[in-house]
Amino acid sequence: MNNSELAQILIRAVEEADSSDRLLDAVQELAAAGTEEAVPTLIAALGYNNPGAAVAAVDGLIVIGEVAVPPLLQLIDDYNYGARAWAIRALAGIGDVRALDTLLEAAKTDFSLSVRRAAARGLGTLRWHQVAPEKLESIQTQVLEALLLISQDPEWVVRYAVVTSLETLAIAIVVTLPDQASRITNQLQQILDTDVDLGVRTRVKFAQEKIQQQQHHEVFAPKRKLQDTEIEVPHRGGGRR
């Protein structure tokens, strides 16, 4: 039996499931297969009013990755809010830049804190290599502005997600937007000084340490490389003459 045949069997099992438990089991097995053929059925499972099956479907779509993005983006316009919310979670997990506008809107305006959290986290896991070089600075600036705004969200879980994304963005823009890095470090310090939630403040400290480590590496790595080169040069010509 090849992968395509197995996928069809698993898809039928989802379609023929006659109870919540069987549906959950069938979606989990289909998600674990990780095949492209599973995408439409996994997306359909997002709207089945079965949270367990939806979680499994989201996990499967994230594993499948980029090929699931176009149909997920189409689902965003669906009137089924539950399915839309799960789709945003899947898009955030995949990190494809084609979902940028959707993630920005969800992180800023969605009424569900779990959706805002997922979208905010997704802004920190975008795959920057997918962006054309001439657009990279503009898009990273757009994400930065959004994260600075969302850092004022009233829900601590959303602010926590923002901190994780500010950390990854700070590391990503070391080369592309070095002049903007101070805005991130300043915002993190402000959160540390003012946020009422201990978990958020603790996460800020971790982010600050990671960013400082990266900055240290960027400053001293070229110097170490130069020193290593200078040490090796005298040996290339043999002994002293």
Side-chain angles (χ1 to χ4, degrees), residues 10 26-35 38 42 56-61 63-64:
L10 296 175
V27 173
Q28 286 176 333
E29 291 182 4
L30 180 60
T35 62
L42 291 176
V58 167
D59 291 341
L61 290 166
V63 170
I64 293 170

Side-chain angles (χ1 to χ4, degrees), residues 8-232:
Q8 294 306 313
I9 292 173
L10 296 175
I11 289 169
R12 284 197 298 272
V14 173
E15 295 171 344
E16 296 172 0
D18 56 5
S19 71
S20 295
D21 290 341
R22 289 183 178 178
L23 177 62
L24 173 58
D25 292 342
V27 173
Q28 286 176 333
E29 291 182 4
L30 180 60
T35 62
E36 184 175 345
E37 293 95 328
V39 169
T41 305
L42 291 176
I43 289 179
L46 301 178
Y48 284 166
N49 195 29
N50 184 317
V55 169
V58 167
D59 291 341
L61 290 166
I62 291 173
V63 170
I64 293 170
E66 295 180 8
V67 296
V69 171
L72 280 168
L73 289 173
Q74 291 177 2
L75 181 63
I76 296 301
D77 294 329
D78 198 327
Y79 290 108
N80 183 337
Y81 175 78
R84 178 180 179 277
W86 289 115
I88 290 172
R89 290 183 176 91
L91 289 168
I94 294 171
D96 194 293
V97 294
R98 288 174 292 180
L100 174 62
D101 290 342
T102 296
L103 294 177
L104 287 170
E105 179 183 0
K108 293 177 182 178
T109 66
D110 201 281
F111 69 84
S112 168
L113 69 89
S114 62
V115 172
R116 297 200 306 277
R117 176 185 61 183
R121 186 68 186 90
L123 291 174
T125 58
L126 291 171
R127 300 178 181 181
W128 297 118
H129 67 273
Q130 295 178 334
V131 181
E134 65 273 13
K135 296 181 179 180
L136 185 58
E137 292 185 13
S138 174
I139 291 178
Q140 287 181 333
T141 300
Q142 187 179 9
V143 171
L144 173 57
E145 297 292 347
L147 290 173
L148 294 177
L149 174 65
I150 304 163
S151 68
Q152 306 301 317
D153 193 281
E155 299 292 343
W156 76 268
V157 293
V158 180
R159 300 196 303 276
Y160 188 102
V162 169
V163 171
T164 66
S165 292
L166 285 173
E167 174 197 319
T168 57
L169 182 61
I171 294 172
I173 68 174
V174 167
V175 175
T176 55
L177 294 170
D179 294 340
Q180 298 285 358
S182 62
R183 299 183 67 193
I184 296 179
T185 55
N186 291 341
Q187 185 66 25
L188 288 174
Q189 187 60 48
Q190 180 180 343
I191 296 172
L192 180 62
D193 293 339
T194 62
D195 202 283
V196 298
D197 187 84
L198 176 61
V200 174
R201 297 198 305 272
T202 301
R203 187 62 182 81
V204 168
K205 291 180 181 179
F206 180 82
Q208 289 174 326
E209 291 174 1
K210 287 293 185 180
I211 294 170
Q212 288 172 358
Q213 289 173 4
Q214 180 65 24
Q215 290 174 339
H216 179 85
H217 175 76
E218 292 295 329
V219 170
F220 290 102
K223 182 177 180 181
R224 286 197 300 269
K225 184 176 181 181
L226 177 60
Q227 290 173 339
D228 291 343
T229 302
E230 291 173 347
I231 290 171
E232 292 173 359

